[in-house]
Amino acid sequence: MSLQNFLSRLDQLQSDAESAFSGASNSESLEEARVVFLGAKNGQFKDVQKMLGGIEPTDKRAAGMRLNEVKNAINEAFNAAKEALEGGGGSQVDPTFDPSLPGTRPTLGHIHPITQTIDHLTEIMGRMGFEVAEGPEVEDPWHNFVALNIPEDHPARDPLDNFYLATAGVAGGDPLAATGEGEALLRSQTSTVQIRVMQSCQPPIRVISLGRVYRPDAPDATHFPMFHQMEGLLVDRHVTMANLKTVLRVFANNYLGDDVEIRFRPSFFPFTEPSVEVDFLWNGTWIEFGGAGMVDPNVFEAVGYDPEKVRGFAFGLGVERLCMRRHGITDIRDLYSGDLRFLQQF
């Protein structure tokens, strides 16, 4: 066979194969066309390939190169037709697609209301010069009680009012070894952070700490075994109760609104003297949202400060109750229910 006839046969084969593949209306007809042209036993390409043996030796190089080009072209035409039928053709447009119809809006997550509240409180206190400090949630009795002037016979140290742990060691070492205290517990207040801050820093100090605390309270509308507190501490030379009341009033007005009514009631805490409870009026009822007072001299002595030279105030506010008051939530358990119908409102 002459080279010219062989090349003409290849051109005709390529044209017929491309037409058959592009004209296939479904996967079955496309597969039938593939067998006709590319079948391993009786395919037309196989028949033409056998003709290569009858080409003059001097023309076989050119004939072989053209044979490979046609084979590649037919395979590409088949793959393109297959992709188009499977819906992946880049130039194919679904005739049923209507770009004017609204799409399906994806469900997006958002920040939990407690985290939103913590961020907001941090921003408000930051404007008054308070920096954020952090501390461990697994504490030792010295930081949780002793340094805070809470004696051993105080009800706050009762095992039934705390989550004591069965282990005294944690990863990275034993944090209780240096204190001589052989127990560990989940902290019952963020006041432990102010002790750690005063141990590592000298006055003036102006810090807040926001985090989880744990108490074995029976869950109800206003109590939960795990909740969040914002602890505040200011230590300097001429700090008075008036400074404390001013900070808390400015905070309450910024977070709860200018119309909020708050009051200070005399109270007692082992780590402050004098001490007050801070309440806000909600739905006709006074609700406690924190305790505060001037830092007790015994606390200053526990961390190595001279109570004759420095004074300070501390306060602890319930984050959940502030969040509930701001958003009109009446049951603290809703915040931890995991119910998306509730959480998506924020």
Side-chain angles (χ1 to χ4, degrees), residues 41-57:
K41 292 184 178 181
N42 301 314
Q44 293 186 21
F45 181 82
K46 193 72 173 179
D47 294 339
V48 175
Q49 189 177 24
K50 293 178 182 178
M51 298 178 184
L52 186 61
I55 302 297
E56 294 293 331

Side-chain angles (χ1 to χ4, degrees), residues 41-342:
K41 292 184 178 181
N42 301 314
Q44 293 186 21
F45 181 82
K46 193 72 173 179
D47 294 339
V48 175
Q49 189 177 24
K50 293 178 182 178
M51 298 178 184
L52 186 61
I55 302 297
E56 294 293 331
T58 55
D59 296 330
K60 279 190 175 183
R61 177 179 174 83
M65 292 178 60
R66 179 57 181 159
L67 181 69
N68 288 332
E69 292 174 358
V70 171
K71 181 180 179 180
N72 293 335
I74 293 176
N75 282 325
E76 290 176 2
F78 170 76
N79 292 331
K82 182 179 180 181
E83 185 177 358
L85 288 175
E86 292 175 350
S91 61
Q92 300 294 320
V93 178
D94 184 354
T96 64
F97 175 70
D98 185 350
S100 65
L101 293 176
T104 302
R105 186 181 297 275
T107 301
L108 300 178
H110 54 88
I111 301 176
H112 191 280
I114 290 296
T115 306
Q116 293 182 35
T117 302
I118 289 175
D119 291 343
H120 195 177
L121 301 184
T122 302
E123 188 268 334
I124 292 173
M125 298 305 297
R127 295 204 303 265
M128 289 189 279
F130 286 82
E131 299 179 352
V132 176
E134 296 182 350
E137 294 182 19
V138 177
E139 271 291 6
D140 57 79
W142 191 87
H143 286 91
N144 203 79
F145 300 122
V146 177
L148 290 169
N149 198 37
I150 301 177
E152 290 190 10
D153 59 351
H154 194 280
R157 299 184 68 163
D158 193 309
L160 297 180
D161 290 331
N162 295 278
F163 288 107
Y164 284 93
L165 305 179
T167 177
V170 297
D174 184 355
L176 311 184
T179 66
E181 301 288 346
E183 298 175 300
L185 71 158
L186 297 178
R187 66 183 182 187
S188 58
Q189 54 203 350
T190 48
S191 302
T192 59
V193 178
Q194 67 173 269
I195 297 299
R196 293 182 178 276
V197 169
M198 287 190 288
Q199 283 182 306
S200 60
C201 302
Q202 290 298 313
I205 294 174
R206 189 180 294 225
V207 297
I208 56 170
S209 174
L210 298 103
R212 288 182 290 265
V213 297
Y214 306 85
R215 297 175 188 174
D217 295 334
D220 59 26
T222 56
H223 297 84
F224 205 72
M226 185 279 294
F227 57 99
H228 294 74
Q229 277 188 343
M230 178 176 73
E231 178 81 14
L233 173 69
L234 191 151
V235 180
D236 210 333
R237 290 187 175 275
H238 305 292
V239 182
T240 68
M241 194 74 176
N243 300 130
L244 169 62
K245 295 180 68 175
T246 298
V247 167
L248 291 179
R249 285 191 182 279
V250 170
F251 164 78
N253 290 336
N254 274 271
Y255 185 75
L256 299 174
D258 293 335
D259 59 338
V260 64
E261 295 185 51
I262 65 172
R263 71 178 184 184
F264 298 87
R265 292 182 291 110
S267 185
F268 169 78
F269 301 108
F271 36 85
T272 54
E273 179 62 37
S275 305
V276 294
E277 298 272 7
V278 187
D279 305 329
F280 61 80
L281 187 63
W282 187 20
N283 295 332
T285 303
W286 288 100
I287 302 293
E288 174 196 346
F289 75 98
M294 303 301 295
V295 178
D296 191 285
N298 290 332
V299 175
F300 282 144
E301 291 177 354
V303 297
Y305 285 6
D306 185 351
E308 297 297 326
K309 295 182 178 180
V310 297
R311 292 174 57 84
F313 65 74
F315 57 86
L317 309 180
V319 174
E320 277 81 355
R321 291 187 179 181
L322 291 169
C323 176
M324 292 167 66
R325 167 63 171 78
R326 183 177 179 88
H327 297 294
I329 301 170
T330 57
D331 195 324
I332 190 175
R333 291 168 292 191
D334 290 335
L335 293 168
Y336 300 106
S337 66
D339 190 337
L340 293 180
R341 296 171 299 178
F342 171 79

